[in-house]
Amino acid sequence: MTGPVKGSEAPDFALPADGGGEIRLSDFRGKNVVLFFYPKNDTSGCTAEAIDFTALKPEFDVLDTVLLGMSPDSPKSHDKFKSKHALTVSLVSDQEKETLQAYGVWVEKSMYGRKYMGVERSTYLIDREGRIAECWRKVKVPGHAQSVLDATKALESGR
C-alpha cells in the first residue's frame, strides 16, 4: 500500500465536483478535511457510508471540518447519487484516477478469482495545515463515520 502517511502533506488536487464547478483541496486550508474514497455511487456499502457521513455532517461542521467523498464516477453520476439519497457531503470526481493513485487507493482487487483495478475504501483526515492527521485503509463501513468523527474531535482538542 502506497500513499501519503501520517504527518506528510496531503496531495493537492483540483477536480470536478457534484453540482458543477471544481473542488481544490488547498482551498480548504485552515479547515480540517475528511477525504473519503469509495468505489462506486449507489452500491450498498458506498451508499451506507455516504449516508453515515451525511448524518454526522452537523457535528463535523461544528469542528470546522469539510467532508469530501471521491470516486471515479462522473459529476453527473454524483449529482444523481446525492439527489437520490439526500446527501449533503460534497462529491468529487476523479475519472482520470490521478488523485486516487496519489493517495494509493487505486489498487488491484480480486473477486471470485478475477483480478481488476478499483478503489480501496479509505479515509484520510487532513488537518488545518494540509497534513495527514489520520488514515484508515480497507475501511469497513459500519461505525466508520463515527470513528472518523471521534478522531476529528481528538485532533481539535489537541490544538
Coordinates of all heavy atoms in Angstrom, one line a residue, residues 70-157:
M70 N -14.8 10.9 -2.7 CA -14.2 10.8 -4.0 C -14.3 9.4 -4.6 O -14.0 8.4 -3.9 CB -12.8 11.3 -4.0 CG -12.1 11.3 -5.4 SD -10.4 11.8 -5.4 CE -10.4 13.5 -4.8
S71 N -14.7 9.4 -5.9 CA -14.8 8.1 -6.6 C -14.5 8.4 -8.1 O -14.4 9.6 -8.5 CB -16.1 7.4 -6.5 OG -17.1 8.0 -7.3
P72 N -14.3 7.4 -8.9 CA -14.1 7.6 -10.3 C -15.4 7.9 -11.1 O -15.3 8.1 -12.3 CB -13.4 6.4 -10.8 CG -13.5 5.4 -9.7 CD -14.0 6.0 -8.5
D73 N -16.5 8.0 -10.4 CA -17.8 8.3 -11.1 C -17.8 9.7 -11.6 O -17.1 10.6 -11.1 CB -18.9 8.1 -10.1 CG -19.1 6.6 -9.7 OD1 -19.2 5.8 -10.6 OD2 -19.1 6.4 -8.5
S74 N -18.6 9.9 -12.6 CA -18.7 11.3 -13.2 C -19.5 12.2 -12.3 O -20.2 11.8 -11.4 CB -19.5 11.2 -14.6 OG -20.9 10.9 -14.3
P75 N -19.3 13.5 -12.5 CA -20.0 14.5 -11.7 C -21.5 14.3 -11.9 O -22.3 14.5 -10.9 CB -19.6 15.9 -12.3 CG -18.2 15.6 -12.8 CD -18.2 14.2 -13.3
K76 N -22.0 14.0 -13.1 CA -23.4 13.8 -13.3 C -23.9 12.6 -12.5 O -25.0 12.7 -11.9 CB -23.6 13.5 -14.8 CG -25.1 13.5 -15.2 CD -25.2 13.4 -16.8 CE -26.6 13.5 -17.2 NZ -26.7 13.5 -18.7
S77 N -23.1 11.5 -12.4 CA -23.5 10.4 -11.6 C -23.5 10.8 -10.1 O -24.4 10.4 -9.4 CB -22.5 9.3 -11.8 OG -22.7 8.2 -10.9
H78 N -22.6 11.6 -9.7 CA -22.6 12.2 -8.3 C -23.9 12.9 -8.0 O -24.5 12.8 -6.9 CB -21.4 13.1 -8.1 CG -20.1 12.4 -7.9 ND1 -20.0 11.1 -7.4 CD2 -18.8 12.8 -8.0 CE1 -18.7 10.7 -7.4 NE2 -17.9 11.8 -7.7
D79 N -24.3 13.8 -9.0 CA -25.5 14.6 -8.8 C -26.7 13.7 -8.6 O -27.5 13.9 -7.6 CB -25.8 15.5 -10.0 CG -24.8 16.6 -10.1 OD1 -24.2 17.0 -9.1 OD2 -24.6 17.1 -11.2
K80 N -26.8 12.6 -9.3 CA -27.9 11.7 -9.2 C -27.9 10.9 -7.8 O -28.9 10.8 -7.2 CB -27.9 10.6 -10.3 CG -28.3 11.2 -11.7 CD -28.2 10.1 -12.7 CE -28.5 10.6 -14.1 NZ -28.2 9.6 -15.2
F81 N -26.7 10.5 -7.5 CA -26.5 9.8 -6.2 C -26.8 10.7 -5.0 O -27.6 10.3 -4.1 CB -25.0 9.4 -6.1 CG -24.6 8.6 -4.9 CD1 -25.3 7.5 -4.5 CD2 -23.4 8.9 -4.3 CE1 -24.9 6.8 -3.4 CE2 -22.9 8.2 -3.2 CZ -23.7 7.1 -2.7
K82 N -26.4 12.0 -5.0 CA -26.7 12.9 -4.0 C -28.2 13.2 -3.9 O -28.8 13.1 -2.8 CB -26.0 14.2 -4.2 CG -24.5 14.2 -3.7 CD -23.9 15.6 -3.8 CE -24.4 16.5 -2.7 NZ -23.5 17.6 -2.5
S83 N -28.8 13.4 -5.0 CA -30.3 13.6 -5.0 C -31.1 12.5 -4.5 O -32.0 12.6 -3.7 CB -30.7 14.0 -6.5 OG -32.0 14.2 -6.5
K84 N -30.7 11.3 -5.0 CA -31.5 10.1 -4.7 C -31.4 9.8 -3.2 O -32.4 9.3 -2.6 CB -30.9 8.9 -5.4 CG -31.6 7.5 -5.1 CD -31.0 6.4 -6.0 CE -31.7 5.1 -5.7 NZ -31.1 4.0 -6.5
H85 N -30.3 10.1 -2.5 CA -30.1 9.7 -1.1 C -30.1 10.9 -0.2 O -29.7 10.8 1.0 CB -28.9 8.9 -0.9 CG -29.0 7.6 -1.7 ND1 -29.8 6.5 -1.3 CD2 -28.4 7.2 -2.8 CE1 -29.7 5.5 -2.2 NE2 -28.8 5.9 -3.1
A86 N -30.4 12.1 -0.7 CA -30.4 13.4 0.1 C -29.1 13.6 0.8 O -29.0 13.9 2.0 CB -31.6 13.4 1.1
L87 N -28.0 13.4 0.1 CA -26.6 13.5 0.7 C -26.2 15.0 0.7 O -26.5 15.7 -0.2 CB -25.6 12.7 -0.2 CG -25.9 11.3 -0.4 CD1 -24.8 10.7 -1.3 CD2 -25.9 10.5 1.0
T88 N -25.6 15.4 1.8 CA -25.1 16.7 2.0 C -23.6 16.9 2.0 O -23.1 18.0 2.1 CB -25.7 17.3 3.3 OG1 -25.2 16.5 4.4 CG2 -27.2 17.4 3.3
V89 N -22.9 15.8 1.8 CA -21.4 15.8 1.6 C -21.1 16.2 0.2 O -21.9 15.9 -0.7 CB -20.8 14.5 2.0 CG1 -21.0 14.2 3.5 CG2 -21.3 13.3 1.1
S90 N -20.0 16.8 -0.1 CA -19.5 17.1 -1.4 C -18.9 15.9 -2.0 O -18.1 15.2 -1.4 CB -18.5 18.3 -1.4 OG -19.1 19.4 -0.9
L91 N -19.2 15.7 -3.3 CA -18.6 14.5 -4.0 C -17.7 15.0 -5.2 O -18.1 15.9 -5.9 CB -19.7 13.6 -4.5 CG -20.7 13.0 -3.5 CD1 -21.8 12.2 -4.1 CD2 -19.9 12.2 -2.4
V92 N -16.6 14.4 -5.2 CA -15.6 14.8 -6.2 C -15.3 13.7 -7.2 O -15.3 12.5 -6.8 CB -14.2 15.2 -5.5 CG1 -13.2 15.7 -6.4 CG2 -14.5 16.2 -4.4
S93 N -15.1 14.0 -8.4 CA -15.0 13.0 -9.5 C -13.5 12.9 -10.0 O -12.9 14.0 -10.4 CB -15.9 13.4 -10.7 OG -15.7 12.5 -11.8
D94 N -12.9 11.8 -9.9 CA -11.6 11.6 -10.4 C -11.6 10.5 -11.5 O -11.2 9.4 -11.3 CB -10.6 11.2 -9.2 CG -9.2 11.1 -9.7 OD1 -8.9 11.5 -10.8 OD2 -8.3 10.5 -9.0
Q95 N -12.2 10.8 -12.6 CA -12.3 9.9 -13.7 C -10.9 9.5 -14.3 O -10.8 8.4 -14.8 CB -13.2 10.4 -14.8 CG -14.6 10.5 -14.3 CD -15.6 11.1 -15.3 OE1 -15.6 12.3 -15.6 NE2 -16.4 10.2 -15.9
E96 N -9.9 10.3 -14.2 CA -8.6 10.0 -14.7 C -7.8 9.2 -13.7 O -6.7 8.7 -14.0 CB -7.8 11.3 -15.0 CG -8.5 12.2 -16.0 CD -8.7 11.5 -17.3 OE1 -7.8 10.8 -17.8 OE2 -9.9 11.6 -17.9
K97 N -8.3 9.1 -12.4 CA -7.7 8.3 -11.3 C -6.3 8.8 -10.9 O -5.6 8.1 -10.2 CB -7.7 6.9 -11.7 CG -9.1 6.3 -12.1 CD -9.1 5.0 -12.8 CE -10.4 4.6 -13.2 NZ -10.8 5.3 -14.5
E98 N -6.0 10.0 -11.2 CA -4.6 10.6 -10.8 C -4.6 10.8 -9.3 O -3.6 10.5 -8.6 CB -4.3 11.8 -11.6 CG -4.0 11.6 -13.0 CD -3.8 12.9 -13.8 OE1 -3.8 14.0 -13.2 OE2 -3.7 12.8 -15.1
T99 N -5.6 11.4 -8.7 CA -5.7 11.6 -7.3 C -5.8 10.3 -6.5 O -5.2 10.1 -5.5 CB -6.8 12.6 -6.9 OG1 -6.5 13.8 -7.6 CG2 -6.8 12.9 -5.4
L100 N -6.6 9.4 -7.1 CA -6.8 8.1 -6.4 C -5.4 7.4 -6.4 O -5.1 6.8 -5.3 CB -7.8 7.2 -7.2 CG -9.2 7.7 -7.3 CD1 -10.0 6.9 -8.3 CD2 -9.9 7.7 -6.0
Q101 N -4.6 7.5 -7.4 CA -3.3 6.9 -7.4 C -2.4 7.6 -6.4 O -1.6 7.0 -5.7 CB -2.7 6.9 -8.8 CG -3.4 5.9 -9.7 CD -3.0 6.0 -11.2 OE1 -2.1 6.8 -11.5 NE2 -3.6 5.2 -12.0
A102 N -2.5 9.0 -6.4 CA -1.6 9.8 -5.5 C -1.8 9.4 -4.0 O -0.9 9.4 -3.2 CB -1.8 11.3 -5.7
Y103 N -3.1 9.0 -3.7 CA -3.4 8.6 -2.3 C -3.2 7.1 -2.1 O -3.5 6.6 -1.0 CB -4.8 9.0 -1.9 CG -4.9 10.5 -1.5 CD1 -5.0 11.5 -2.5 CD2 -4.8 10.9 -0.2 CE1 -5.0 12.8 -2.1 CE2 -4.8 12.2 0.2 CZ -4.9 13.2 -0.8 OH -4.9 14.5 -0.4
G104 N -2.8 6.4 -3.2 CA -2.6 5.0 -3.0 C -3.8 4.1 -2.9 O -3.8 3.0 -2.4
V105 N -5.0 4.6 -3.3 CA -6.2 3.9 -3.1 C -6.7 3.2 -4.4 O -7.8 2.5 -4.4 CB -7.3 4.7 -2.5 CG1 -6.9 5.2 -1.1 CG2 -7.7 5.9 -3.4
W106 N -6.1 3.4 -5.6 CA -6.4 2.8 -6.8 C -5.5 1.5 -6.9 O -4.3 1.6 -7.1 CB -6.1 3.7 -8.0 CG -6.6 3.1 -9.3 CD1 -5.8 2.6 -10.3 CD2 -7.9 2.8 -9.8 NE1 -6.5 2.1 -11.4 CE2 -7.8 2.3 -11.1 CE3 -9.2 3.1 -9.2 CZ2 -9.0 1.9 -11.8 CZ3 -10.3 2.7 -9.9 CH2 -10.2 2.1 -11.2
V107 N -6.1 0.4 -6.5 CA -5.4 -0.8 -6.3 C -5.9 -2.0 -7.0 O -7.1 -2.0 -7.5 CB -5.4 -1.2 -4.8 CG1 -4.7 -0.1 -3.9 CG2 -6.8 -1.5 -4.3
E108 N -5.1 -3.1 -7.1 CA -5.6 -4.3 -7.7 C -6.5 -5.0 -6.7 O -6.1 -5.2 -5.5 CB -4.4 -5.2 -8.1 CG -4.9 -6.5 -8.8 CD -3.7 -7.3 -9.3 OE1 -3.3 -8.2 -8.5 OE2 -3.3 -7.2 -10.4
K109 N -7.6 -5.4 -7.1 CA -8.6 -6.1 -6.2 C -8.9 -7.5 -6.9 O -8.5 -7.7 -8.0 CB -9.9 -5.3 -6.1 CG -9.6 -3.9 -5.5 CD -10.9 -3.1 -5.6 CE -11.6 -3.0 -4.3 NZ -12.8 -2.1 -4.3
S110 N -9.5 -8.3 -6.1 CA -9.8 -9.7 -6.6 C -11.2 -10.1 -6.1 O -11.6 -9.8 -5.0 CB -8.8 -10.6 -6.1 OG -9.1 -11.9 -6.6
M111 N -12.0 -10.6 -7.1 CA -13.3 -11.1 -6.7 C -13.6 -12.4 -7.5 O -13.5 -12.4 -8.7 CB -14.4 -10.1 -7.0 CG -15.8 -10.5 -6.5 SD -17.1 -9.3 -6.9 CE -16.8 -8.1 -5.7
Y112 N -13.9 -13.4 -6.8 CA -14.1 -14.7 -7.4 C -12.9 -15.1 -8.3 O -13.1 -15.7 -9.4 CB -15.4 -14.7 -8.2 CG -16.6 -14.3 -7.4 CD1 -17.3 -13.2 -7.8 CD2 -17.0 -15.0 -6.2 CE1 -18.4 -12.7 -7.0 CE2 -18.1 -14.5 -5.5 CZ -18.8 -13.4 -5.9 OH -19.9 -13.0 -5.2
G113 N -11.7 -14.8 -7.8 CA -10.5 -15.2 -8.6 C -10.2 -14.3 -9.7 O -9.1 -14.4 -10.3
R114 N -11.1 -13.3 -10.0 CA -10.8 -12.4 -11.1 C -10.1 -11.1 -10.6 O -10.6 -10.5 -9.6 CB -12.1 -12.0 -11.8 CG -11.9 -11.1 -13.0 CD -13.3 -10.8 -13.7 NE -14.1 -9.9 -12.9 CZ -14.0 -8.6 -12.9 NH1 -13.2 -8.0 -13.7 NH2 -14.8 -7.8 -12.1
K115 N -9.0 -10.7 -11.1 CA -8.3 -9.5 -10.7 C -8.7 -8.3 -11.5 O -9.0 -8.5 -12.7 CB -6.8 -9.8 -10.8 CG -6.3 -10.9 -9.9 CD -4.8 -10.7 -9.6 CE -4.3 -11.8 -8.7 NZ -4.9 -11.9 -7.4
Y116 N -8.9 -7.2 -10.9 CA -9.2 -6.0 -11.6 C -8.8 -4.8 -10.7 O -8.4 -4.9 -9.6 CB -10.8 -5.9 -11.8 CG -11.5 -5.9 -10.4 CD1 -12.0 -4.7 -9.9 CD2 -11.8 -7.0 -9.7 CE1 -12.7 -4.6 -8.7 CE2 -12.5 -7.0 -8.5 CZ -12.9 -5.8 -8.0 OH -13.6 -5.8 -6.8
M117 N -8.7 -3.6 -11.3 CA -8.3 -2.4 -10.6 C -9.6 -1.7 -10.1 O -10.6 -1.7 -10.8 CB -7.6 -1.5 -11.6 CG -6.3 -2.0 -12.0 SD -5.1 -2.4 -10.7 CE -4.7 -0.7 -10.1
G118 N -9.5 -1.2 -8.9 CA -10.6 -0.5 -8.3 C -10.2 0.3 -7.1 O -9.0 0.3 -6.7
V119 N -11.1 1.0 -6.5 CA -10.8 1.9 -5.3 C -10.9 1.1 -4.0 O -11.9 0.4 -3.8 CB -11.9 3.1 -5.3 CG1 -11.6 3.9 -4.0 CG2 -11.8 3.9 -6.5
E120 N -9.9 1.2 -3.2 CA -9.9 0.6 -1.9 C -10.5 1.6 -1.0 O -10.0 2.8 -0.9 CB -8.4 0.3 -1.5 CG -8.3 -0.2 0.0 CD -6.9 -0.4 0.4 OE1 -6.3 -1.4 0.1 OE2 -6.4 0.6 1.0
R121 N -11.6 1.2 -0.4 CA -12.3 2.2 0.5 C -11.4 2.6 1.6 O -10.9 1.8 2.4 CB -13.6 1.5 1.1 CG -14.5 2.4 1.9 CD -15.7 1.7 2.5 NE -16.3 0.8 1.6 CZ -17.2 1.2 0.7 NH1 -17.5 2.4 0.6 NH2 -17.8 0.3 -0.1
S122 N -11.1 3.9 1.6 CA -10.1 4.5 2.5 C -10.6 5.9 2.9 O -11.3 6.5 2.2 CB -8.8 4.6 1.8 OG -8.3 3.4 1.4
T123 N -10.1 6.4 4.1 CA -10.4 7.7 4.5 C -9.1 8.4 5.0 O -8.4 7.7 5.8 CB -11.5 7.7 5.6 OG1 -12.6 7.1 5.1 CG2 -11.8 9.1 6.1
Y124 N -9.0 9.6 4.7 CA -7.9 10.5 5.2 C -8.4 11.7 5.9 O -9.3 12.3 5.4 CB -7.0 11.0 4.1 CG -6.1 9.9 3.5 CD1 -6.5 9.1 2.5 CD2 -4.8 9.8 3.9 CE1 -5.6 8.1 2.0 CE2 -3.9 8.9 3.4 CZ -4.3 8.0 2.4 OH -3.5 7.1 1.9
L125 N -8.0 11.9 7.2 CA -8.3 13.1 7.9 C -7.1 14.0 7.7 O -5.9 13.7 8.1 CB -8.5 12.8 9.4 CG -8.7 13.9 10.3 CD1 -9.9 14.8 9.9 CD2 -8.8 13.5 11.8
I126 N -7.4 15.2 7.1 CA -6.3 16.2 6.8 C -6.5 17.4 7.7 O -7.6 17.9 7.9 CB -6.4 16.6 5.3 CG1 -6.3 15.3 4.4 CG2 -5.4 17.6 5.0 CD1 -6.8 15.5 3.0
D127 N -5.4 17.8 8.4 CA -5.5 18.8 9.4 C -5.6 20.2 8.7 O -5.5 20.3 7.5 CB -4.4 18.7 10.4 CG -3.0 19.1 9.9 OD1 -2.9 19.7 8.8 OD2 -2.1 18.7 10.6
R128 N -5.7 21.2 9.5 CA -5.9 22.6 9.0 C -4.6 23.1 8.2 O -4.8 24.1 7.5 CB -6.1 23.5 10.2 CG -7.5 23.3 10.9 CD -7.6 24.1 12.2 NE -8.8 23.7 12.9 CZ -10.0 24.4 12.7 NH1 -10.1 25.3 11.8 NH2 -11.1 24.0 13.3
E129 N -3.5 22.5 8.4 CA -2.3 22.9 7.7 C -2.1 22.0 6.4 O -1.1 22.2 5.7 CB -1.0 22.7 8.6 CG -1.0 23.8 9.7 CD -1.9 23.6 10.8 OE1 -2.0 22.5 11.3 OE2 -2.7 24.6 11.2
G130 N -3.0 21.1 6.1 CA -2.9 20.3 4.9 C -2.1 19.0 5.1 O -1.6 18.5 4.1
R131 N -1.9 18.6 6.3 CA -1.1 17.4 6.6 C -2.0 16.2 7.0 O -3.1 16.5 7.6 CB -0.1 17.6 7.7 CG 0.9 18.7 7.4 CD 2.2 18.5 8.2 NE 3.3 19.3 7.6 CZ 4.0 18.9 6.5 NH1 3.8 17.8 6.0 NH2 5.0 19.7 6.1
I132 N -1.6 15.0 6.7 CA -2.4 13.8 7.1 C -2.3 13.7 8.6 O -1.3 13.5 9.2 CB -1.8 12.6 6.4 CG1 -1.7 12.8 4.9 CG2 -2.6 11.3 6.8 CD1 -3.0 13.0 4.1
A133 N -3.5 13.7 9.2 CA -3.6 13.5 10.7 C -3.9 12.1 11.0 O -3.4 11.6 12.0 CB -4.7 14.5 11.2
E134 N -4.7 11.4 10.2 CA -5.1 10.0 10.4 C -5.4 9.4 9.0 O -5.8 10.1 8.1 CB -6.3 9.9 11.3 CG -6.2 10.2 12.7 CD -5.3 9.3 13.5 OE1 -5.1 8.1 13.1 OE2 -4.7 9.7 14.5
C135 N -5.3 8.1 8.9 CA -5.6 7.4 7.7 C -6.2 6.1 8.1 O -5.8 5.4 9.0 CB -4.3 7.2 6.9 SG -4.5 6.2 5.5
W136 N -7.3 5.7 7.4 CA -8.0 4.4 7.5 C -7.9 3.8 6.2 O -8.4 4.3 5.2 CB -9.4 4.6 8.0 CG -9.6 5.2 9.3 CD1 -9.8 4.5 10.5 CD2 -9.6 6.6 9.7 NE1 -10.0 5.4 11.5 CE2 -9.8 6.7 11.1 CE3 -9.5 7.8 9.0 CZ2 -9.9 7.9 11.7 CZ3 -9.5 9.0 9.6 CH2 -9.8 9.0 11.0
R137 N -7.4 2.6 6.1 CA -7.4 1.8 4.9 C -8.3 0.6 5.0 O -8.5 0.1 6.1 CB -6.0 1.4 4.5 CG -5.0 2.5 4.4 CD -5.3 3.4 3.2 NE -5.2 2.8 1.9 CZ -4.2 2.9 1.0 NH1 -3.2 3.7 1.3 NH2 -4.2 2.3 -0.1
K138 N -8.7 0.0 3.9 CA -9.6 -1.1 3.8 C -10.8 -1.0 4.9 O -11.0 -1.8 5.7 CB -8.8 -2.4 4.1 CG -7.8 -2.7 3.0 CD -7.1 -4.0 3.2 CE -6.1 -4.2 2.1 NZ -5.4 -5.5 2.2
V139 N -11.4 0.1 4.7 CA -12.5 0.5 5.7 C -13.7 -0.4 5.6 O -14.1 -0.8 4.5 CB -13.0 2.0 5.4 CG1 -14.3 2.3 6.1 CG2 -11.9 3.0 5.7
K140 N -14.2 -0.8 6.8 CA -15.5 -1.5 6.9 C -16.4 -0.4 7.3 O -16.2 0.4 8.3 CB -15.4 -2.5 8.0 CG -14.4 -3.6 7.7 CD -14.7 -4.5 6.6 CE -13.7 -5.6 6.3 NZ -13.2 -5.6 5.0
V141 N -17.6 -0.3 6.6 CA -18.5 0.9 6.8 C -19.1 1.0 8.1 O -19.2 2.1 8.7 CB -19.6 0.8 5.6 CG1 -20.6 1.9 5.9 CG2 -18.9 1.0 4.3
P142 N -19.7 -0.1 8.7 CA -20.4 0.1 10.0 C -19.5 0.8 11.1 O -18.5 0.3 11.4 CB -20.8 -1.3 10.4 CG -20.9 -2.1 9.1 CD -19.7 -1.5 8.3
G143 N -20.0 1.9 11.6 CA -19.3 2.6 12.6 C -18.1 3.5 12.2 O -17.5 4.2 13.0
H144 N -17.8 3.4 10.9 CA -16.6 4.1 10.4 C -16.7 5.7 10.5 O -15.8 6.3 11.0 CB -16.3 3.8 9.0 CG -15.1 4.5 8.4 ND1 -13.8 4.5 8.9 CD2 -15.1 5.4 7.4 CE1 -13.1 5.3 8.2 NE2 -13.8 5.9 7.3
A145 N -17.8 6.2 10.1 CA -18.0 7.7 10.1 C -17.9 8.2 11.5 O -17.3 9.2 11.8 CB -19.4 8.1 9.5
Q146 N -18.4 7.4 12.5 CA -18.3 7.8 13.9 C -16.9 7.8 14.4 O -16.4 8.7 15.1 CB -19.2 6.9 14.8 CG -19.2 7.3 16.3 CD -19.8 8.7 16.5 OE1 -20.9 9.0 16.1 NE2 -19.0 9.6 17.2
S147 N -16.1 6.8 13.9 CA -14.7 6.7 14.3 C -13.9 7.9 13.7 O -13.1 8.5 14.4 CB -14.0 5.4 13.7 OG -14.6 4.3 14.3
V148 N -14.3 8.3 12.5 CA -13.6 9.5 11.9 C -14.0 10.8 12.7 O -13.1 11.6 13.0 CB -14.0 9.6 10.4 CG1 -13.4 10.9 9.8 CG2 -13.5 8.4 9.7
L149 N -15.3 10.9 13.1 CA -15.7 12.0 13.9 C -14.9 12.0 15.2 O -14.5 13.1 15.7 CB -17.2 11.9 14.1 CG -17.8 13.1 15.0 CD1 -17.6 14.4 14.4 CD2 -19.3 12.8 15.3
D150 N -14.8 10.9 15.9 CA -14.1 10.8 17.2 C -12.6 11.3 17.0 O -12.1 12.0 17.8 CB -14.1 9.4 17.7 CG -15.5 9.0 18.2 OD1 -16.4 9.9 18.3 OD2 -15.7 7.8 18.3
A151 N -12.0 10.8 15.9 CA -10.6 11.2 15.6 C -10.5 12.7 15.3 O -9.5 13.4 15.7 CB -10.0 10.4 14.4
T152 N -11.5 13.3 14.7 CA -11.5 14.7 14.4 C -11.7 15.5 15.7 O -11.0 16.5 15.9 CB -12.7 15.1 13.4 OG1 -12.6 14.2 12.2 CG2 -12.7 16.5 13.0
K153 N -12.6 15.0 16.6 CA -12.7 15.7 17.9 C -11.4 15.6 18.7 O -11.0 16.6 19.3 CB -13.8 15.0 18.7 CG -15.2 15.2 18.2 CD -16.2 14.5 19.0 CE -17.6 14.8 18.6 NZ -18.6 13.9 19.2
A154 N -10.7 14.5 18.6 CA -9.4 14.4 19.3 C -8.4 15.3 18.7 O -7.6 16.0 19.4 CB -8.9 12.9 19.2
L155 N -8.4 15.5 17.4 CA -7.5 16.4 16.7 C -7.7 17.8 17.1 O -6.8 18.5 17.5 CB -7.7 16.2 15.2 CG -6.8 17.2 14.3 CD1 -5.3 16.9 14.4 CD2 -7.3 17.0 12.8
E156 N -9.0 18.2 17.2 CA -9.4 19.5 17.6 C -9.1 19.8 19.1 O -8.7 20.9 19.4 CB -10.8 19.8 17.3 CG -11.1 20.1 15.9 CD -10.4 21.3 15.4 OE1 -10.8 22.4 15.7 OE2 -9.4 21.2 14.6
S157 N -9.2 18.8 19.9 CA -9.0 19.0 21.4 C -7.5 19.2 21.6 O -7.1 19.7 22.6 CB -9.5 17.9 22.2 OG -8.8 16.7 22.0

